[in-house]
């Protein structure tokens, strides 16, 4: 028996299945084609610019943006250090095909000073190829326009706008402000290179250096796209820099400018302090120099002239000048004598015009030939009797003198926020043995009694000492910073910084010393009576003469007017006024001149007659040239007449 085989092929189903697969394939192909066409449209049309620049090997760069440096103002808000716009020609070496050829072509368009070329070559060696290097500093508007017309010829070369530090008063405030200048290789290793990525300069001296951290600010960045030729394409992101703090100094610019005018062509220093707070109202070193050329790089010839000048304008005499105390030391030694009980207010001597000691052949002479007669302690200060203080120094001894002078801050840094000061010198037997390999002699003590020998002080220390006398022992650290104003407007007031006071066993001894200092200017016998005749205010003072070529005890009676000026004595003056309510205390040092008391008189006259308005003060120097002052001081030209 046979079975019938079933048919397994279904043509209809196979045809239907094939058609479905073809349709699906066609749809897939169409969708894929549409996707490709859409993507091609997106790339070629919609993002044409983006991918065109990418195709030109564009790259992203982070460009540091220098923060604006904080402004510096005086206590009244007058700007004494500012920022002004500047245009620099900047080269990115990595983007320049032929650097030497480019430089040659640039020089045909724009004058490049030799010092700029020298600096450019030096920075090329120091920087990495992709870091911009300044070729020309401070372009004129004409130079900027000329370059822009030809910029297409110089890939990798751009004009950058920046800010330029400027000191509108030139040399008048340089002893305080110092200056900013280009960062050198050594400094580059010490600073925060990230924060200084956009900066080419930093504070080098003065307040600019001391408050560099506060003034500099925080760097910003621009994330930019540049093409293969180094040309800017677009800014992608921007992180704004934060400017530095604005700072207000305690300086009164009117008083500072007045002191500069009063000093005129004289060499010396003046420091004026507000006794109640330690605020420095004026700090002058003369002669000074214009700091502005240092900002962009002073030319070697000009710098050599300043460095080699016999007037030493680069030397800050106010904080680094060390001078013998001379007779300005006498009030402090008188306090030491009274407080230690070595002498009393009624102690007196007979001054024959010289001082001698048993067993010592050397004779120490008074500045007044024939002496002052009977002299007690107040009179010794008023007439500046050398013989009295020779004897007092011997009675005190060098150790006691050292201890009391150190209490007033002498022989040590005052700590002023300037950072350049010297400590002066209050010698001791240990110091002499260590430094000079010699023991201390009694003659050293005698010389120290009138502020000569090894005794040295800066004008700043002398002014702080005068302020301490004015405060009857209360001391404050001299300071320049009055307040900080942060970028967000926050104000940080700086409080007075107290120092250890000078406390006397009997506070009435202050009155004895201050009254005697008042007699220096008000008594006919006072050494500054002529210069301070007819003052409408009371003033306590002490004069001093720092001898240069005369040897103690020899030839101290003759004037030094016959000597060349650079060999003449220096005149010193410390004072405060008014006596009952001291508003200012000062120290004046005039080199090779007798004018210190008259300079001080002019300053006090100006201060107490000043009007409170901005702008340059109208100052009529008092008695500087003798034309409008009191009669000449008969003692003024006498060596040691203080």
């Amino acid at each position: 028996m046979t079975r019938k085989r079933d048919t397994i092929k279904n043509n209809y189903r196979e045809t239907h299945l094939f058609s479905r697969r073809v349709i699906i394939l066609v749809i897939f192909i169409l969708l894929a084609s549409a996707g490709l066409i859409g993507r091609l449209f997106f790339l070629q049309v919609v993002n044409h610019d983006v991918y065109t620049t990418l195709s030109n090997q564009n790259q992203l760069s982070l460009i540091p943006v220098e923060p604006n440096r904080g402004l510096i103002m005086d206590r009244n808000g007058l700007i004494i250090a500012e920022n002004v716009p500047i245009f620099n020609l900047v080269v990115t070496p990595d983007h320049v095909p032929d650097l030497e050829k480019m430089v040659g072509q640039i020089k045909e368009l724009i004058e490049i000073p030799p010092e700029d070329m020298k600096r450019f070559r030096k920075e090329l060696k120091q920087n990495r190829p992709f870091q911009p290097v300044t070729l020309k500093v401070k372009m004129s508007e004409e130079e900027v326009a000329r370059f822009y017309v030809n910029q297409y010829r110089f890939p990798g070369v751009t004009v950058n706008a920046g800010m330029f530090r400027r000191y509108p008063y030139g040399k008048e405030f340089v002893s305080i402000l110092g200056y900013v200048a280009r960062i050198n290789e050594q400094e580059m290793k010490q600073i925060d290179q990230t924060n200084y990525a956009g900066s080419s300069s930093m504070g080098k001296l003065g307040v600019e250096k001391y408050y560099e951290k506060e003034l500099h600010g925080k760097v910003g960045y621009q994330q930019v796209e540049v093409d293969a030729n180094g040309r800017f394409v677009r800014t992608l992101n921007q992180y704004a820099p934060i400017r530095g703090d604005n700072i207000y100094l305690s300086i009164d610019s009117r008083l500072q400018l007045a002191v500069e005018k009063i000093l005129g062509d004289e060499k010396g220093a003046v420091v004026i302090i507000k006794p109640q707070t330690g605020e420095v109202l004026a700090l002058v070193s003369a002669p000074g120099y214009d700091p502005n050329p240092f900002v962009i790089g002073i030319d070697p010839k000009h710098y050599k002239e300043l460095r080699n000048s016999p007037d030493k304008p680069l030397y800050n005499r106010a904080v680094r000048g060390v001078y013998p105390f001379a007779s300005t030391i006498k009030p402090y030694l008188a306090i030491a004598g009274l407080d230690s009980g070595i002498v009393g207010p009624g102690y007196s001597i007979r001054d024959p015009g010289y001082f001698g000691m048993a067993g010592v052949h050397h004779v120490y002479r008074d500045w007044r030939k024939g002496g002052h007669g009977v002299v007690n302690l107040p009179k010794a200060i008023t007439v500046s009797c050398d013989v009295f203080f020779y004897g007092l120094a011997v009675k005190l001894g060098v150790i006691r003198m050292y201890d009391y002078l150190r209490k007033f801050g002498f022989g040590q840094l005052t700590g002023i926020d300037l950072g350049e000061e010297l400590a002066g010198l209050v010698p001791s037997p240990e110091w002499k043995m260590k430094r000079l390999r010699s023991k201390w002699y009694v003659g050293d003590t005698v010389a120290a009694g009138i502020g000569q020998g090894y005794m040295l002080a800066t004008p700043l220390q002398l002014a702080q000492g005068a302020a301490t006398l004015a405060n009857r022992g209360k001391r404050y650290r001299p300071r320049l910073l009055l307040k900080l104003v942060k970028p967000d407007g926050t104000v940080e007031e700086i409080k007075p910084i107290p120092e250890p006071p000078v406390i006397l066993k009997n506070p009435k001894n202050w009155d004895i010393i201050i009254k005697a200092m008042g007699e220096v200017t008000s008594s006919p016998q006072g050494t500054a009576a002529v210069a301070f005749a007819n003052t409408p205010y009371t003033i306590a003072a002490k004069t001093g003469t720092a001898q240069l070529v005369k040897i103690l005890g020899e030839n101290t009676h003759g004037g030094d007017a016959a000597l060349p000026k650079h060999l003449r004595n220096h005149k010193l003056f410390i004072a405060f006024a008014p006596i009952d309510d001291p508003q200012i205390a000062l120290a004046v040092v005039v080199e090779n001149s007798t004018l210190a008391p008259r300079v001080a008189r002019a300053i006090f006259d100006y201060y107490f007659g000043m009007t409170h308005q901005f702008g340059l003060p109208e100052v009529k120097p008092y008695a500087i040239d003798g034309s409008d002052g009191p009669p000449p001081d008969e003692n003024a030209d006498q060596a040691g007449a203080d």
Side-chain angles (χ1 to χ4, degrees), residues 125-180:
K125 296 177 182 177
Q126 295 173 343
N127 290 9
R128 286 173 286 187
F130 59 85
Q131 289 183 307
V133 179
T134 302
L135 176 58
K136 171 70 183 284
V137 179
K138 205 175 179 181
M139 299 172 71
S140 66
E141 292 183 4
E142 182 183 348
E143 288 174 330
V144 172
R146 198 182 306 144
F147 173 78
Y148 275 137
V149 171
N150 294 273
Q151 187 176 14
Y152 69 94
R153 297 167 50 196
F154 303 107
V157 184
T158 57
V159 173
N160 281 0
M163 302 303 286
F164 175 74
R165 197 61 153 180
R166 193 171 78 94
Y167 304 100
Y169 291 95
K171 68 177 184 179
E172 308 294 350
F173 294 89
V174 70
S175 56
I176 300 163
L177 298 175
Y179 56 82
V180 300

Side-chain angles (χ1 to χ4, degrees), residues 578-628:
I579 293 177
D580 293 335
D581 181 23
Q583 296 182 29
I584 59 171
L586 60 73
V588 178
V589 177
V590 182
E591 296 183 1
N592 315 120
S593 169
T594 60
L595 291 176
R598 297 183 181 185
V599 168
R601 169 67 188 265
I603 292 171
F604 278 114
D605 279 357
Y606 176 80
Y607 184 84
F608 290 113
M610 63 193 299
T611 54
H612 296 281
Q613 59 185 3
F614 289 171
L616 287 171
E618 294 183 5
V619 180
K620 187 178 182 183
Y622 174 84
I624 289 293
D625 58 6
S627 61
D628 58 351

